[in-house]
């Protein structure tokens, strides 16, 4: 994964907990790197070690860490200079989700070794869709759930997401039911 991911994990921990907590996580994960470089590639295993160490230090399940990270990733990437790309990806949650593969294609120009997941959507009805998530990486479904919730906040949309199919339980890809409702601006 690119350093941008590891930087985001670091910033999430530092901003929600403390520098000392981040130092403890790095030590437990046996990470010697002083600072992650956003555009540099790092082994996926390093990121998984950080998540595992964060799980132990914070006394949260790895899934809870990944879920929180997914939610955090939305605001982090917008702040890190990718907000304009996100703005071009859709005007509301369903449109944004439908265009995720195109967003990853544009990001791939800047990150040539990017191995993005693939997403596609089936519209169930006016305020519900099915999100299909295909990835070579294991264990990231909780992050996807956090991402969708973070995007809901970005689009001022109430989101209820549930995983309906899991690769960990034998499905060929992860699948989610996403119910959404735009928040009324007058409340």
């Amino acid at each position: 994964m690119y350093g941008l991911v590891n930087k985001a994990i670091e910033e999430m921990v530092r901003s929600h907990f403390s520098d000392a907590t981040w130092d403890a996580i790095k030590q437990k994960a046996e990470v010697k790197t002083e600072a992650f470089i956003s555009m540099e590639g790092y082994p996926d295993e390093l990121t998984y070690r950080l998540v595992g160490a964060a799980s132990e230090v914070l006394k949260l399940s790895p899934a809870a860490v990944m879920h929180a990270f997914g939610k955090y990733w939305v605001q982090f990437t917008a702040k890190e200079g990718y907000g304009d790309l996100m703005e071009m990806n859709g005007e509301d949650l369903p449109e944004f989700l439908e265009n995720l593969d195109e967003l990853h294609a544009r990001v791939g120009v800047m990150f040539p070794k990017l191995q993005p997941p693939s997403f596609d959507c089936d519209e169930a009805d006016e305020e519900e869709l099915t999100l299909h998530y295909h990835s070579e990486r294991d264990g990231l479904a909780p992050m996807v759930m956090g991402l969708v919730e973070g995007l809901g906040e970005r689009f001022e949309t109430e989101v209820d997401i549930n995983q309906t199919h899991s690769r960990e339980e034998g499905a060929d890809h992860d699948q989610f039911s996403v119910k959404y409702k735009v928040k009324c601006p007058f409340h």
Side-chain angles (χ1 to χ4, degrees):
M1 290 189 211
Y2 276 94
L4 186 66
V5 172
N6 299 327
K7 273 181 69 171
I9 293 171
E10 176 180 357
E11 187 175 300
M12 179 182 77
V13 169
R14 287 184 189 273
S15 66
H16 288 79
F17 297 95
S18 68
D19 293 345
T21 303
W22 173 248
D23 292 340
I25 290 168
K26 267 182 58 175
Q27 183 176 10
K28 186 168 276 298
E30 299 178 4
V31 173
K32 307 287 187 243
T33 306
E34 276 305 308
F36 295 106
I37 300 167
S38 294
M39 304 294 273
E40 189 171 307
Y42 294 86
D44 286 1
E45 183 261 334
L46 183 145
T47 306
Y48 285 115
R49 280 197 337 253
L50 285 171
V51 170
S55 171
E56 288 182 45
V57 170
L58 301 174
K59 297 183 180 9
L60 297 168
S61 69
V65 172
M66 293 304 297
H67 186 274
F69 176 71
K71 217 168 169 181
Y72 186 80
W73 179 252
V74 175
Q75 66 183 20
F76 176 82
T77 51
K79 185 183 71 155
E80 285 293 304
Y82 301 95
D84 288 344
L85 270 177
M86 292 172 76
E87 292 293 326
M88 295 186 316
N89 207 58
E91 294 183 16
D92 57 27
L93 179 68
E95 183 181 9
F96 191 95
L97 293 174
E98 186 66 45
N99 292 326
L100 275 171
D101 282 1
E102 288 80 8
L103 174 67
H104 284 124
R106 288 190 292 274
V107 170
V109 172
M110 295 178 281
F111 295 93
K113 294 179 184 171
L114 185 69
Q115 297 174 320
S118 179
F119 293 88
D120 57 271
C121 298
D122 299 325
E123 201 163 329
D125 65 38
E126 194 175 311
E127 294 183 332
E128 183 177 358
L129 58 84
T130 301
L131 179 65
H132 301 271
Y133 169 67
H134 305 266
S135 177
E136 297 174 9
R137 295 180 173 102
D138 292 325
L140 300 182
M143 180 181 168
V144 172
M145 294 177 75
L147 281 167
V148 172
E149 290 175 5
L151 288 167
E153 289 175 6
R154 181 176 177 83
F155 289 107
E156 298 180 352
T157 300
E158 293 175 25
V159 173
D160 180 26
I161 181 169
N162 293 291
Q163 189 165 4
T164 56
H165 295 81
S166 170
R167 276 187 35 204
E168 291 179 7
E169 295 174 3
D172 66 340
H173 69 281
D174 293 299
Q175 185 175 306
F176 306 89
S177 167
V178 181
K179 295 178 182 173
Y180 57 92
K181 184 176 178 88
V182 176
K183 295 177 186 172
C184 180
F186 305 110
H187 291 296

